[in-house]
Amino acid sequence: MESVTVFAGLQPNPATAHHQTLGPSGSLIKLLPSLLTDKRHFCAQPLKLQQSRFASFRVNDTANTVPVASPTSNVALELAEIDWDNLGFGFIPTDYMYIMKCAQGKNFLNGELQRFGNIELNPSAGILNYGQGLLEGLKAYRKHDGNILLFRPEENAFRLRTGAERMCMPSPSVEQFVEAVKLTILANERWIPPPGKGSLYIRPLLMGSGAVLGLAPAPEYTFLIYVSPVGNYFKEGLAPINLVVETEMHRATPGGTGGVKTIGNYAAVLKAQLAAKAKGFSDVLYLDSVHKRYLEEVSSCNVFVVKDNVISTPAIKGTILPGITRKSIIDVALSQGFQVEERFVTVDELLDADEVFCTGTAVVISPVGSITYLGKRVTYGSEGVGVVSQQLYSSLTSLQMGLAEDKMGWIVELK
């Protein structure tokens, strides 16, 4: 064993040969050369090392250990060439992605960073033929002091493991998940927006990548993480959105997979969502598939209704995704003296509410300006964002961005 000095600010190089590097905890990770030939995907801006600053890790003796971005680094970083003031919520290719594989019945081992690019799949892969796959979503924020903040990444890891059990898939441990997220962020640090300009959206995927012809779990699985800098999910930003209640199509059914973040849940909402947007609505609010009168979710968000000092949200009962932002907003609201109820919420209560808002990783909080149900349009408030929505949004985003003290213990800081 020897002590290896790790420099911050590795500039990705497509021509680099295979080598090894360090994860945030000192584990050796392979760093592979570029898989891309289309150079338009990258802004080849170098990382400028203003001063040498080091972090020491204990690693196995190897002649191939190379400099990588370090979480204890204090180097001035040159950001990617992006118009940060006009950053929307769309995919922007970055430098690296993380990949780890395992066979059915085995454990995930030996993850590696690869240059971002297309992946190869057998046409008979389980993900392509039978939809055996899960996704997650979380964000990293840059503070004014240069530190990077993650919001409750272990919750995403737990949710992935729950979904994997439902979908008959092995999954990384919580520790492996969080470690891989950290490593991917640090490898793509120059793509994290400046403070107040957005966030780095992190998309972990778990998929059946092995070939399977008959209906059965895939023989091999791939865990992959890629990232993209993002701005607001809705073009309105923190401004009221307009929803329509869908009465014919449903997002999920009892006994199905609505309660886990499987890929098929999202393809199923596209038809209703496209139809709603064609009519000028921002998104769709779904009802339960049995009684068709209880609220469930918006396409990719949880929903809350406010009446007086009571905040109500549909209970988690197998057809609704247990959102991490949802869970966090409930705790923040309780800490601020609101009464919060998780229960069946009817359409009638929705239409009679003082305020309505949605929550999710991408949107954080999105206030609802109007609901249209069976042709009847109900509006909420006359001054834009509701008082409760604004209060909770400010509280949670201040915490996520490091502008408020983390009394909840939710923030993971990469220094």
Side-chain angles (χ1 to χ4, degrees), residues 50 73 170 190 199 204 226 272 312 323 360 374 408:
Q50 303 282 329
S73 175
R190 71 193 186 102
S199 59
Y226 69 90
S312 301
L374 297 177
M408 301 289 193

Side-chain angles (χ1 to χ4, degrees), residues 335-406:
S335 73
Q336 295 182 356
F338 290 100
Q339 178 180 336
V340 181
E341 297 178 350
E342 299 181 72
R343 58 177 177 80
F344 290 102
V345 181
T346 66
V347 178
D348 291 338
E349 291 178 88
L350 172 74
L351 301 178
D352 188 48
D354 298 330
E355 284 184 50
V356 179
F357 62 86
C358 305
T359 65
T361 298
V363 303
V364 185
I365 284 183
S366 190
V368 176
S370 74
I371 294 283
T372 299
Y373 174 60
L374 297 177
K376 178 184 177 182
R377 185 171 185 266
V378 175
T379 60
Y380 303 94
S382 58
E383 299 180 2
V385 181
V387 174
V388 175
S389 301
Q390 180 67 68
Q391 179 177 327
L392 295 176
Y393 175 84
S394 297
S395 296
L396 190 60
T397 54
S398 294
L399 187 60
Q400 292 174 328
M401 297 178 187
L403 303 176
E405 182 183 356
D406 177 22

Side-chain angles (χ1 to χ4, degrees), residues 79 83-88 139-149 191-200 229-232 237-238 364 393 397-398 400-403:
L79 299 181
D83 182 0
W84 299 108
D85 292 321
N86 293 291
L87 187 62
K139 290 178 177 177
Y141 294 88
R142 188 188 300 279
K143 289 177 65 180
H144 287 282
D145 63 7
N147 290 351
I148 302 165
L149 303 182
W191 298 91
I192 304 175
K197 301 294 185 180
S199 59
L200 188 70
V230 297
N232 291 319
L238 185 64
V364 185
Y393 175 84
T397 54
S398 294
Q400 292 174 328
M401 297 178 187
L403 303 176

